[in-house]
Amino acid sequence: MAEGKTVVTENGLKALIEASSVGKQIKPAYFKVSEQDIGDIYPGINIADLPAVWYQAPISAYVPVNDSTVQFILDIPQDKATKYGKTFGLYLEDGTLFAVAKPPYPFPPLMRQRFRVQFVWEQIDAVMNFEDIPFYEFDQDVVHLDAVSTITLALFDVQEHLVVLDQFKADYYRFKDSTSQKLLNHEERISLNEQKLSDHELAILDMSASFGNLILENSLEIGLLKQYIGG
């Protein structure tokens, strides 16, 4: 049996790591299919959405293989298969592109496109919520093109560095923003003090002018008084 390839995206890895670390569950809820080949896919691929999507539907069903393996079924009826199915995406309820899957060869139009995608994770029920996704036993002879892709998520130890890196970047920008705000506050205070100094200088000039005028007036009055007494 030919095998396709499936990888968890960077955002999917983050969601799984968080779910595993805090004891919550994530839910793969729907899938999209694209007629465009996006090229090489690799663990932790950084992609937020599929391009050239022509069909979207809830995940058709799931089949537990064992305690650590689950198989999702992405099923497109023949009458809905209007274009080539080259790339499939599994999405979480919040819209996160969880995984990208490629069949071993494109599914042609006007033919039922059923793709089985398999994931391996220790105690998978602890991190994935299958509520409302039907459990389904399917008949092999109705599968025109069948591809199973298995991925092990043992690389999570490496991918945890993504979370550490994001935290580092967040701390850096938080410190940068805090420092920038403090600098801005200091600049505002300097500007305010400069304005106050300018106001004081203007007040001093006004007082000097008033004082000069007063001296001039007094001088004139004294001169006139002398002239009057002398006359």
Side-chain angles (χ1 to χ4, degrees):
M1 180 184 294
E3 290 193 0
K5 184 178 182 182
T6 302
V7 299
V8 178
T9 67
E10 180 178 326
N11 290 333
L13 288 169
K14 291 177 181 177
L16 269 174
I17 291 171
E18 181 183 2
S20 180
S21 62
V22 302
K24 71 175 186 179
Q25 293 179 311
I26 59 175
K27 181 180 179 180
Y30 62 95
F31 73 95
K32 297 180 183 180
V33 61
S34 168
E35 63 176 338
Q36 182 173 322
D37 188 342
I38 64 172
D40 292 335
I41 56 176
Y42 49 88
I45 183 174
N46 185 8
I47 179 173
D49 201 358
L50 293 184
V53 169
W54 58 267
Y55 185 77
Q56 175 179 328
I59 291 176
S60 308
Y62 81 99
V63 178
V65 178
N66 53 49
D67 289 343
S68 61
T69 306
V70 64
Q71 184 170 264
F72 292 105
I73 302 171
L74 316 180
D75 196 9
I76 304 175
Q78 183 175 346
D79 62 333
K80 302 293 185 182
T82 58
K83 298 182 181 180
Y84 276 92
K86 295 183 178 180
T87 309
F88 291 73
L90 280 74
Y91 292 75
L92 303 181
E93 284 184 304
D94 64 1
T96 298
L97 176 54
F98 175 71
V100 177
K102 293 173 66 174
Y105 41 85
F107 291 90
L110 304 179
M111 183 176 287
R112 187 171 192 168
Q113 300 185 10
R114 174 175 282 170
F115 193 24
R116 294 187 293 159
V117 179
Q118 198 170 98
F119 293 98
V120 179
W121 176 253
E122 185 176 353
Q123 295 181 335
I124 199 164
D125 286 336
V127 291
M128 284 193 182
N129 178 10
F130 304 109
E131 185 179 353
D132 300 327
I133 301 178
F135 171 79
Y136 184 54
E137 291 287 358
F138 55 90
D139 188 358
Q140 289 284 354
D141 61 9
V142 301
V143 181
H144 299 287
L145 292 176
D146 187 31
V148 178
S149 183
T150 303
I151 181 172
T152 175
L153 301 181
L155 50 83
F156 268 55
D157 288 341
V158 176
Q159 295 299 338
E160 283 181 351
H161 289 291
L162 290 170
V163 176
V164 174
L165 180 60
D166 281 349
Q167 185 62 51
F168 173 79
K169 289 192 295 186
D171 290 342
Y172 167 76
Y173 285 113
R174 190 182 306 112
F175 174 77
K176 179 181 178 182
D177 291 343
S178 175
T179 303
S180 298
Q181 185 60 47
K182 289 181 179 178
L183 180 60
L184 181 62
N185 291 340
H186 285 311
E187 289 176 346
E188 290 178 351
R189 291 175 62 187
I190 290 172
S191 178
L192 182 61
N193 287 331
E194 288 177 344
Q195 184 62 44
K196 289 182 178 179
L197 180 60
S198 178
D199 291 342
H200 286 313
E201 290 175 346
L202 291 174
I204 291 172
L205 289 175
D206 289 341
M207 290 178 61
S208 298
S210 299
F211 187 61
N213 290 334
L214 183 61
I215 292 175
L216 179 59
E217 291 174 1
N218 289 337
S219 298
L220 291 174
E221 290 180 2
I222 292 172
L224 290 174
L225 182 61
K226 287 182 178 180
Q227 182 179 355
Y228 178 78
I229 295 174

